[in-house]
Amino acid sequence: MNAWHSLTLDERKFYERGKRQECYEAAIAEFNANIPLSPSVSGESSSDSDVEADYEDGGVRDRQAIQRWNRYRRDYRREPATNTPSGSSTSFPFLRLPFDIRRMVYTLVVNRSGPVIQMDADGSGKYPKGPIDLRLALASKQLFAEVMTTFFEDNVIELCIHPDPTYGLSVLFDPKAVSAAYWPFKSIKRIELFISYNQVEQGNFVRAELEKLCNVLQHCSLAKLCITAWCQTSWFTRGLEQSFDELLARLETLRDVQEFDFNEDVDTCWSRGLGGNSTRFLGTKEYRERLRGIVTKPREATAA
């Protein structure tokens, strides 16, 4: 610990970037171990160089995994059924099943034991073992509503508000995005929110991101909302913490949250390539308790 504090801020940032790189490398290695790569990915192809160039330009390794997954699907399409007797059909009347049975099928497809990390504009959840297959939701409007409702109800959605452009809320939470209106966000049940706040000058950015998120979550009945808010220890001041409490006031529009908590586990940040041993968690104890009392109020009581 003493050796870490003896490092300069630039040296600390260098080692933290190395840890973030290590996390991405481990995720991609596990993804490749579980899903064999198609020849177009494992061989020498121009698209591979495009992916590497994208990463060198500051992209996220998850994008590389998604591109490889898509090309795997392209190269190994399911062969159509043959030798089908005339007059018979190979389709199964899935929508005639009771909804409870259909939901069991959806859960097998979209449920994950760990958090779903962010979401792309196409709605695909990014998970350490690769993207979640949501093609079933594209079959019809009814299936889209049922599958995505199950997706949001069953999974922990992990979001990050960070000034680094590598992170940030999904475009789906932007009210100006046309696609945002089609997603059943009211079904979201569990949120893990990570907030990085190192300078008061970042306040406008964090405030805008929180407002976008609260515009969605204020219509939800959350089973759990867990917040991990931190800054680098060298940047911490009482003024910064007071400023952060004022930013958290945006969450006061939320109601009916069954479980509300602040996480102060350094390992949680470290495992995601965020923060590190020099992390200082934000939010005064007094305001945390006040906010907990507000957001856990039943929505009916508030309306009355």
Side-chain angles (χ1 to χ4, degrees):
M1 182 65 70
N2 293 333
W4 174 264
H5 287 295
S6 66
L7 297 175
T8 65
L9 181 59
D10 290 337
E11 289 174 331
R12 294 178 186 178
K13 289 182 178 180
F14 173 79
Y15 285 113
E16 287 171 3
R17 284 196 299 268
K19 182 60 179 178
R20 185 182 301 175
Q21 169 77 12
E22 181 181 339
C23 292
Y24 284 135
E25 292 288 352
I28 295 299
E30 186 175 1
F31 174 81
N32 290 338
N34 284 275
I35 301 175
L37 298 181
S38 66
S40 65
V41 176
S42 57
E44 296 293 331
S45 65
S46 59
S47 54
D48 284 333
S49 60
D50 292 340
V51 171
E52 293 301 327
D54 177 72
Y55 176 70
E56 293 296 332
D57 289 341
V60 184
R61 277 296 179 92
D62 287 332
R63 182 183 297 177
Q64 180 181 5
I66 291 172
Q67 291 181 3
R68 289 181 170 180
W69 177 248
N70 289 337
R71 276 181 278 167
Y72 176 84
R73 291 272 177 73
R74 180 197 66 192
D75 294 345
Y76 293 93
R77 296 175 180 174
R78 179 177 296 178
E79 293 296 331
T82 57
N83 300 326
T84 303
S86 59
S88 65
S89 174
T90 59
S91 62
F92 178 79
F94 179 74
L95 292 177
R96 295 181 187 177
L97 294 173
F99 175 71
D100 292 343
I101 304 298
R102 297 203 304 272
R103 197 188 188 288
M104 292 172 62
V105 175
Y106 303 150
T107 298
L108 292 173
V109 174
V110 304
N111 181 265
R112 291 294 181 269
S113 58
V116 177
I117 305 175
Q118 297 283 12
M119 287 176 294
D120 277 349
D122 61 0
S124 61
K126 289 184 284 187
Y127 186 63
K129 291 185 179 180
I132 299 176
D133 189 353
L134 297 176
R135 290 181 298 171
L136 180 61
L138 304 179
S140 69
K141 291 183 178 179
Q142 180 179 346
L143 282 172
F144 180 86
E146 293 179 356
V147 172
M148 295 312 303
T149 296
T150 304
F151 173 83
F152 287 125
E153 288 179 347
D154 288 3
N155 287 307
V156 178
I157 308 299
E158 183 177 297
L159 302 172
C160 184
I161 297 177
H162 195 292
D164 188 329
T166 303
Y167 302 94
L169 291 179
S170 166
V171 68
L172 292 179
F173 291 97
D174 188 345
K176 298 179 181 179
V178 177
S179 59
Y182 298 96
W183 296 88
F185 286 131
K186 292 183 179 180
S187 304
I188 295 177
K189 295 298 182 184
R190 288 171 291 277
I191 290 283
E192 288 188 4
L193 178 62
F194 292 81
I195 305 176
S196 174
Y197 185 58
N198 288 307
Q199 300 177 11
V200 176
E201 289 76 11
Q202 298 171 355
N204 290 335
F205 170 79
V206 175
R207 183 182 298 107
E209 294 292 278
L210 282 174
E211 287 178 351
K212 288 193 296 185
L213 182 61
C214 289
N215 287 337
V216 173
L217 298 186
Q218 66 183 344
H219 303 294
C220 303
S221 296
L222 295 175
K224 181 178 181 180
L225 174 58
C226 182
I227 298 176
T228 304
W230 79 94
C231 72
Q232 298 296 324
T233 303
S234 56
W235 291 88
F236 177 80
T237 63
R238 292 299 175 187
L240 181 71
E241 189 165 45
Q242 182 179 1
S243 171
F244 183 75
D245 283 351
E246 295 172 358
L247 291 176
L248 283 182
R250 302 301 181 278
L251 298 175
E252 293 183 8
T253 59
L254 305 185
R255 295 294 185 273
D256 209 18
V257 180
Q258 298 179 24
E259 182 180 351
F260 180 77
D261 197 12
F262 282 83
N263 178 36
E264 293 190 354
D265 183 10
V266 175
D267 292 337
T268 301
C269 293
W270 186 255
S271 64
R272 289 158 175 78
L274 306 170
N277 292 332
S278 61
T279 294
R280 175 67 181 261
F281 293 99
L282 296 174
T284 61
K285 182 179 179 181
E286 296 76 11
Y287 186 74
R288 289 184 181 188
E289 292 301 321
R290 178 174 179 270
L291 185 60
R292 180 180 288 106
I294 293 174
V295 302
T296 54
K297 288 182 179 179
R299 187 172 284 109
E300 294 77 7
T302 305

